[in-house]
Amino acid sequence: NPNVMDCIDLHWMKYEDSFCTLDQLVDADAFTIERHGLRIAQPITVYDDITEDVDGVVDGVRLNCRLPGNGTRFGRIDFSKGFSDWWLLSHIDIHVPSEHTQEGKRYSAEIEMYHFYSIDYDNEMATVSVFMEAYDDAPPYRFLDKVICQWRRKEYETRLQCGLDPIDSTYPGCFPLKRQRDRRRHLKRKTNVDDSPTSQESGAFEGTFANKKPKFRTFADVIYHNEMNRDNPHHRPVEIEIDDENFDEADEKDWDAWIAQQSQRMKQEDELYHKLKNNDYGGKHTDDMHEKYRNLIMGDENEWFNYWPMIGVRTEYYYRYQGTSTTPPCYGADQFGTRRGVNHWRVLKDPIRIHPRQLFELERLIRERIAPPDDNVNPCQPDTAADVDSNGKVNTARPLMYHSPRAHAKTFCECKGMFLQNVLQLFCPLS
């Protein structure tokens, strides 16, 4: 097939965590329910005078979580051929069902991890994409349960702010929320925001900043803004402040041992799940069994890991191509011979196995979305971009517009194509 290209990548995609903890993400309102899907953003702070330039200093944004004594570090991933520097994590989106298909198959959901290049050459973006597929015999993926509870918390807070009653449904292991506790959290968040026009935190747009543009919620928004205004002679690029720690050499880590440890843990959890379901619940998955399983694996005590989808996917085989993002304004270029404004895709071959109960909750969160009170169009109203059928199934996947084999340069990368120092590196699926 003349349109099939050889993979020239020299190694697998190495990824390292950011300094952002789960508590910092929650306090920064990083878990949001968007019209197009579910999002986890790396916290962003706008500094200087982003809304009204008065000092001649270039405006900018920075990561809003810091490790004492070590500055800030983004989640970062190392691509192979053609990219000598790190890609830095902006945000994660989940779409239901998957937007990509593989050999004609559309999966239950897709996790898209958006990155920007640490060296500003051509406003390039990159997305590492992971499928999820629901299987009746799959144990609930522990990290997915963890983030589902955070989106339910966000749903609760939005309904509270809008004067709406909490939803009636529950989810295993997401413990009941108390109005007083969450009201105090909401009030604390509001009082911690600097109301001056020189410093604003993501998720909080109060006072003079409320209706002014640009309104950045992710680092990708900054890239989009700069690229869309590149040819405007009056545009002053908004800088992304990146601490030196982000350019350090890769962490020293025994990756073989770590991968083996994760693989063994997932195997043990799978065995525990089936033993619990078959011995105590007659082979049926119930919410009570689901919650008991979460307690047994200590799901709520799991250490937070911003690249959590990369643990559950169990493979390093991937498709790569260059194109556009899938969320409006569908950022990216598709012209052969240039990388300006390109969105580089890495779509991993095998899906994360999840339980149908998890998929149902992802769909419900999207289907029953209430726009937040600061929304410019439908504040406190039901508002989702998903198509919802008569059975309540949602679809947020945007259709493929067109495909150009030469410009998009689609390639499949697997073990046989990954050579490093003339030695074949077998980074194959975890067992």
Side-chain angles (χ1 to χ4, degrees):
N1 186 337
N3 293 326
V4 175
M5 304 177 63
D6 289 333
C7 179
I8 59 175
D9 287 6
L10 299 178
H11 59 77
W12 64 304
M13 291 185 293
K14 180 178 175 60
Y15 49 90
E16 297 182 348
D17 204 1
S18 78
F19 289 165
C20 297
T21 66
L22 180 60
D23 286 342
Q24 288 174 321
L25 294 179
V26 172
D27 288 339
D29 204 18
F31 292 85
T32 58
I33 305 172
E34 305 293 329
R35 298 187 72 249
H36 63 273
L38 303 166
R39 172 170 290 177
I40 309 171
Q42 293 292 286
I44 188 171
T45 293
V46 179
Y47 66 93
D48 287 334
D49 37 40
I50 192 70
T51 61
E52 185 178 352
D53 186 28
V54 295
D55 59 8
V57 177
V58 176
D59 298 324
V61 297
R62 60 174 174 260
L63 186 63
N64 190 27
C65 47
R66 180 177 299 273
L67 186 65
N70 291 278
T72 63
R73 193 179 83 179
F74 292 84
R76 56 185 189 171
I77 197 163
D78 179 20
F79 286 178
S80 183
K81 197 71 173 176
F83 302 102
S84 58
D85 294 282
W86 293 98
W87 290 90
L88 306 181
L89 181 62
S90 166
H91 64 279
I92 297 175
D93 282 351
I94 293 184
H95 298 269
V96 180
S98 70
E99 298 195 293
H100 290 89
T101 61
Q102 180 178 198
E103 302 296 336
K105 176 177 174 55
R106 192 176 299 278
Y107 291 85
S108 300
E110 184 171 352
I111 307 169
E112 298 174 0
M113 294 173 279
Y114 281 89
H115 297 74
F116 62 96
Y117 203 33
S118 56
I119 305 299
D120 182 19
Y121 290 134
D122 287 306
N123 282 342
E124 294 173 84
M125 294 288 296
T127 308
V128 178
S129 194
V130 179
F131 296 124
M132 292 192 289
E133 183 71 4
Y135 297 94
D136 288 335
D137 65 341
Y141 182 40
R142 63 179 184 271
F143 279 106
L144 186 56
D145 272 349
K146 201 176 189 75
V147 295
I148 282 174
C149 286
Q150 296 305 325
W151 284 313
R152 284 184 60 95
R153 181 187 299 278
K154 175 61 178 177
E155 178 183 53
Y156 175 89
E157 291 181 352
T158 297
R159 297 183 70 91
L160 178 66
Q161 294 165 8
C162 291
L164 302 174
D165 290 334
I167 58 169
D168 293 329
S169 65
T170 60
Y171 186 80
C174 296
F175 300 104
L177 300 173
K178 295 183 173 63
R179 279 185 178 270
Q180 290 253 326
R181 183 188 68 190
D182 286 283
R183 188 182 297 275
R184 286 197 299 270
R185 174 185 288 273
H186 173 61
L187 291 175
K188 179 181 178 182
R189 182 179 299 140
K190 288 184 65 175
T191 56
N192 282 345
V193 173
D194 182 351
D195 287 328
S196 73
T198 61
S199 174
Q200 292 291 336
E201 295 184 9
S202 66
F205 303 99
E206 308 289 338
T208 59
F209 193 69
N211 296 313
K212 296 193 175 183
K213 300 295 182 182
K215 180 177 179 180
F216 302 126
R217 296 194 301 162
T218 68
F219 291 95
D221 290 342
V222 178
I223 301 294
Y224 302 162
H225 172 75
N226 285 339
E227 179 63 20
M228 292 173 66
N229 289 278
R230 177 184 286 223
D231 297 326
N232 180 353
H234 304 292
H235 172 63
R236 304 190 64 184
V238 177
E239 301 290 338
I240 298 178
E241 181 181 289
I242 304 175
D243 288 349
D244 291 342
E245 286 79 3
N246 293 277
F247 301 100
D248 289 345
E249 294 295 322
D251 295 340
E252 292 186 8
K253 183 173 184 175
D254 188 340
W255 279 93
D256 289 340
W258 185 78
I259 290 173
Q261 181 186 33
Q262 296 299 323
S263 178
Q264 180 64 19
R265 179 174 180 180
M266 285 186 284
K267 182 179 179 181
Q268 292 171 346
E269 290 176 355
D270 188 86
E271 294 172 349
L272 175 61
Y273 171 79
H274 287 98
K275 181 179 179 180
L276 177 65
K277 184 171 74 169
N278 293 328
N279 293 352
D280 296 356
Y281 290 87
K284 295 182 179 180
H285 182 102
T286 67
D287 277 6
D288 179 66
M289 193 227 88
H290 190 147
E291 183 166 345
K292 186 174 183 180
Y293 170 73
R294 285 193 67 182
N295 291 335
L296 288 173
I297 66 171
M298 301 180 69
D300 291 326
E301 284 71 44
N302 283 321
E303 184 179 359
W304 176 247
F305 187 61
N306 286 280
Y307 277 112
W308 56 270
M310 300 297 282
I311 296 177
V313 69
R314 309 190 198 195
T315 186
E316 279 295 339
Y317 293 1
Y318 57 86
Y319 297 87
R320 53 174 287 179
Y321 73 94
Q322 58 188 48
T324 69
S325 67
T326 60
T327 302
C330 297
Y331 178 82
D334 56 6
Q335 297 181 11
F336 181 76
T338 178
R339 291 187 349 197
R340 171 177 169 174
V342 164
N343 193 92
H344 301 272
W345 285 89
R346 301 291 187 272
V347 183
L348 291 168
K349 175 181 178 291
D350 296 331
I352 298 174
R353 290 168 55 88
I354 65 173
H355 193 273
R357 181 67 176 90
Q358 295 180 301
L359 176 62
F360 178 83
E361 186 64 15
L362 295 177
E363 291 182 316
R364 188 203 64 76
L365 286 163
I366 296 171
R367 182 177 62 246
E368 299 181 9
R369 176 184 184 266
I370 299 294
D374 64 346
D375 186 82
N376 292 329
V377 180
N378 293 312
C380 294
Q381 298 297 314
D383 187 28
T384 179
D387 291 329
V388 183
D389 68 17
S390 58
N391 295 318
K393 298 290 290 182
V394 306
N395 187 342
T396 62
R398 296 182 66 84
L400 177 68
M401 301 303 292
Y402 64 92
H403 176 234
S404 171
R406 189 162 183 250
H408 291 131
K410 185 176 70 173
T411 308
F412 179 58
C413 295
E414 56 182 335
C415 289
K416 67 180 182 181
M418 296 181 181
F419 286 86
L420 182 61
Q421 297 177 350
N422 298 320
V423 178
L424 181 61
Q425 304 295 304
L426 294 179
F427 294 108
C428 297
L430 300 177
S431 59

